[in-house]
Each structure stands twice: as C-alpha cells, then as structure tokens.
Amino acid sequence: MIKNISYRKYLNIQHDYSSINCLSLICSFYENELGISWEEERKVFNNFQISSIKELRKIPIEDIYKMSNWIKKDLTNIQPLDIIVYTRNSKLAHFSLYLGDYKILNLVQESFSKVTRLDDTQRNNIESVLHHRNVDPEDRKSTRLNSSHSQQSR
C-alpha cells in the first residue's frame, strides 16, 4: 500500500518564535501526519517555546544527539522524512524536513513556510541529518509526499 501524505496544511504559515517555528512545524507534521509523538523532543526544546534565535543557539547540539528517538546520519544518507540540522559557528541555527528529490519543508525566521530546493548555500550550513527510529523504513520507500490532500490508496 502506498501512503499519500500531504504537506499542504504546513505551507504559508508565518514564522513566530513564540508560537510556530521551524522545529514546532516539523513536530506538528510528525505528530499529525505520521502519528509519532515528540514528547522527548518537547522536553529538550522547552515545548518549542523559543523566544529568539539566540535562545535556540543556547541549546547544546549534543542534547539533540542524546535523544533516544533519533539516529544521527550524514547528508549522503538522507531519506524522505529525515530532519536536517543546520548550524552556524557550531551552534544550532535551523531545522528543516526533507521531502525527497532535494525538496525540503522550510520555515525560516521572518518568513512563511514553503517547500524549497536544498541548495549549495544550505548544504554549507548542514551539521547533520536526524533519522527518527519510529519511522518505518518501508514507509520511507512507499510514502508519497505531496501538496494535495491526504489519502490512502491500495
């Protein structure tokens, strides 16, 4: 069975550190579309109540790699539904969701969420890729991420 997962409802959302930011957007996608709870992640990131980029940068990157649900990977091994971790000067800077075919769901500061192409400029700031343990490997292969409404086909 091929699953169709829509990311449409995650587009054109305005960034606001206090309510919706790059990480809380990905959390919503994982919880609502994949049914995967982010309880541990909420604890590490103070329920995603990040007031500014300065606050995000204070979180030690090592804390992310200690989370039990995540496996750190290299960019060369990226798969759909992996999370890209960006840094600047060895400090956390941003997160995006890899959709496949070099496309990412992206919500940057003072902007609206959109699908963009993973380009060389972004690649230069990538620290690592996170692979969630609870995403079934078969789902990664048999999931179509699209901008239309969710539906299941047999």
Side-chain angles (χ1 to χ4, degrees):
M1 177 170 25
I2 295 177
K3 297 178 184 176
N4 287 307
I5 299 175
S6 175
Y7 52 78
R8 171 178 267 166
K9 68 181 172 183
Y10 303 95
L11 299 176
N12 299 314
I13 297 171
Q14 186 168 10
H15 182 276
D16 178 1
Y17 278 112
S18 63
S19 61
I20 186 85
N21 55 57
C22 57
L23 199 54
S24 62
L25 180 75
I26 296 169
C27 172
S28 294
F29 181 90
Y30 260 74
E31 290 183 337
N32 297 326
E33 305 307 319
L34 304 176
I36 296 174
S37 173
W38 273 35
E39 188 174 320
E40 180 182 25
E41 294 81 357
R42 288 181 187 283
K43 290 177 186 172
V44 170
F45 291 99
N46 191 29
N47 205 30
F48 310 117
Q49 298 303 306
I50 300 167
S51 61
S52 69
I53 188 67
K54 289 179 183 178
E55 190 174 335
L56 176 65
R57 294 173 66 76
K58 288 180 186 176
I59 299 169
I61 197 158
E62 297 81 28
D63 287 1
I64 295 171
Y65 303 135
K66 290 178 188 175
M67 291 189 293
S68 62
N69 292 326
W70 296 99
I71 301 167
K72 181 181 175 183
K73 298 175 14 177
D74 291 324
L75 182 60
T76 56
N77 296 317
I78 196 167
Q79 295 177 299
L81 307 175
D82 283 346
I83 296 172
I84 301 171
V85 180
Y86 302 85
T87 59
R88 270 200 201 102
N89 301 322
S90 301
K91 303 231 183 235
L92 283 175
H94 184 58
F95 298 89
S96 65
L97 177 65
Y98 186 67
L99 301 173
D101 296 325
Y102 301 100
K103 295 179 194 168
I104 56 175
L105 178 61
N106 209 7
L107 177 58
V108 296
Q109 186 175 332
E110 298 180 9
S111 187
F112 290 85
S113 60
K114 58 187 167 187
V115 173
T116 59
R117 189 156 177 80
L118 187 60
D119 61 27
D120 290 336
T121 303
Q122 293 164 325
R123 283 190 194 112
N124 292 336
N125 292 317
I126 293 175
E127 159 70 21
S128 62
V129 172
L130 296 177
H131 178 89
H132 200 285
R133 293 180 192 276
N134 294 331
V135 175
D136 186 325
E138 288 305 308
D139 282 349
R140 290 180 189 276
K141 293 177 188 172
S142 63
T143 297
R144 286 193 196 126
L145 294 161
N146 59 63
S147 61
S148 62
H149 294 291
S150 293
Q151 54 183 315
Q152 299 234 352
S153 61
R154 294 184 184 171

